[in-house]
Amino acid sequence: MSELSEAELIERFAALPVANVGDAMDRLNVVDSGIQSVWPSAGAKLAGRAVPVTVAGGDNLGIHETIPTLQPGDVLVVNGQAAIHRALIGELIAGRAMAQGCVGFVLDACVRDAVDLEQMRFPVFARGTTPAGPYRNGPYVGGVAAAVGTVVVHPGDLVLGDDDGVAIVPRGRAAEILAKAEAKHAAETKQRAEIGS
């Protein structure tokens, strides 16, 4: 495969089921199944560049301070310690992130305003929802790798999500994994045609 730009990689990954991408990575780098789309309806799709941050459980200071640094095409990936007693984001924070060009969130934590997030067409993948708001005291760590749903996410990795869940594509292997995932998808498409489904 000739050298692809980041935009081309993301566009082609976005056209694939996340399951095929996971298969292409030997079923590794697939985020814990407890982290799913929070939209009430099906159809959330996510593809972008990871910006990881690690926060204290139930605290979103690191999210507030990271959002102004986001660039178009970024996905904010948050290690929230798998804490589910507080929502780290809602529709107001999502709106601020969208204004920066952010294309979605993945949080190892809970969120709120799920209906609003779907109406905004802003994909958010998290452990669930709760109306309980967060604290904003810190500490947090940004700009380095973070563990989310048992997967280590480095800045610049590719983040993919759909109704099956989330996978992380290591940036340095993206072209290789894309080729394998596209081949897997083509083979499955052929199989479906042969069995008439």
Side-chain angles (χ1 to χ4, degrees):
M1 181 181 295
S2 61
E3 189 68 25
L4 296 173
S5 70
E6 182 179 75
E8 290 170 321
L9 282 169
I10 291 171
E11 181 180 4
R12 285 171 64 174
F13 271 118
L16 296 170
V18 171
N20 288 156
V21 178
D23 289 346
M25 296 187 290
D26 296 321
R27 281 79 175 178
L28 301 175
N29 288 352
V30 176
V31 172
D32 173 357
S33 64
I35 296 175
Q36 295 286 327
S37 169
V38 300
W39 288 6
S41 305
K45 289 278 290 180
L46 175 62
R49 175 192 330 103
V51 176
V53 61
T54 297
V55 301
D59 190 287
N60 73 357
L61 178 65
I63 294 172
H64 281 283
E65 296 197 354
T66 301
I67 283 177
T69 73
L70 296 175
Q71 301 294 315
D74 282 347
V75 176
L76 185 61
V77 180
V78 181
N79 177 351
Q81 316 297 326
I84 58 172
H85 66 295
R86 299 281 166 192
L88 294 188
I89 69 99
E91 53 98 8
L92 293 176
I93 290 177
R96 288 176 47 217
M98 286 181 74
Q100 293 289 122
C102 179
V103 295
F105 290 163
V106 175
L107 303 99
D108 200 339
C110 279
V111 304
R112 62 186 182 185
D113 304 328
V115 171
D116 296 308
L117 294 170
E118 181 177 3
Q119 289 174 347
M120 294 163 65
R121 308 311 292 171
F122 189 74
V124 173
F125 293 76
R127 289 208 174 269
T129 60
T130 177
Y135 298 105
R136 199 191 301 186
N137 303 316
Y140 74 93
V141 178
V144 296
V148 176
T150 73
V151 176
V152 176
V153 184
H154 294 87
D157 284 349
L158 302 186
V159 183
L160 308 174
D162 65 16
D163 290 326
D164 283 336
V166 176
I168 306 299
V169 177
R171 183 63 183 87
R173 297 182 55 214
E176 164 210 341
I177 291 166
L178 176 63
K180 290 180 180 178
E182 288 181 333
K184 176 71 172 174
H185 184 59
E188 288 189 357
T189 300
K190 182 181 178 185
Q191 287 177 323
R192 281 192 291 273
E194 288 171 350
I195 63 177
S197 64

